Amino acid sequence: MLNLFEALMIIAFAISWPVSIYKSYTSRTAKGKSLFFEVFIWFGYVFGIIRKILQIIYENEFGGLFWLAFVVYIITITLVTTDILLYFRNTKLDKLAERESVQ
């Protein structure tokens, strides 16, 4: 039951990341984004993944809901990583646009 609630929590958070990625991709700017915030979120998901691995080691739990939560952690950290990479792309685009506007 605990894994179900954990999986539902992660799914709820995961739903917002595709929207953020789409906005980052289409806006082509890093303005309004916080790398600091996204990195902390990323580390939170890393700790969640570590918790799941330790759950396998120490509690010997492999149930279906366990795997659902684990897979959603992996998907979500991939989405956050994508948004972080778009932040760096958009920062570079912002610098190029700033140079062009000065010339």
Side-chain angles (χ1 to χ4, degrees):
M1 185 66 135
L2 295 176
N3 285 321
L4 172 64
F5 287 117
E6 182 180 17
L8 291 172
M9 178 201 66
I10 301 301
I11 289 168
F13 288 136
I15 290 169
S16 65
W17 287 107
V19 174
S20 181
I21 289 168
Y22 178 78
K23 183 180 175 191
S24 294
Y25 183 76
T26 59
S27 71
R28 301 177 62 85
T29 183
K31 294 175 181 157
K33 291 293 238 180
S34 170
L35 179 61
F36 185 75
F37 173 78
E38 289 192 349
V39 168
F40 270 98
I41 296 292
W42 189 88
F43 275 109
Y45 287 121
V46 167
F47 294 137
I49 291 168
I50 291 170
R51 181 204 177 278
K52 290 313 231 182
I53 292 168
L54 293 176
Q55 191 175 0
I56 290 172
I57 294 169
Y58 293 110
E59 296 175 14
N60 210 16
E61 185 169 337
F62 301 100
L65 292 175
F66 167 86
W67 288 109
L68 175 64
F70 188 80
V71 166
V72 175
Y73 271 119
I74 299 299
I75 291 168
T76 306
I77 200 167
T78 303
L79 293 170
V80 175
T81 302
T82 301
D83 207 31
I84 289 171
L85 293 172
L86 284 170
Y87 174 88
F88 287 113
R89 180 203 76 162
N90 290 345
T91 300
K92 184 177 177 180
L93 293 174
D94 286 341
K95 288 178 184 176
L96 288 171
E98 188 176 308
R99 274 189 239 142
E100 288 178 4
S101 68
V102 172
Q103 292 177 354

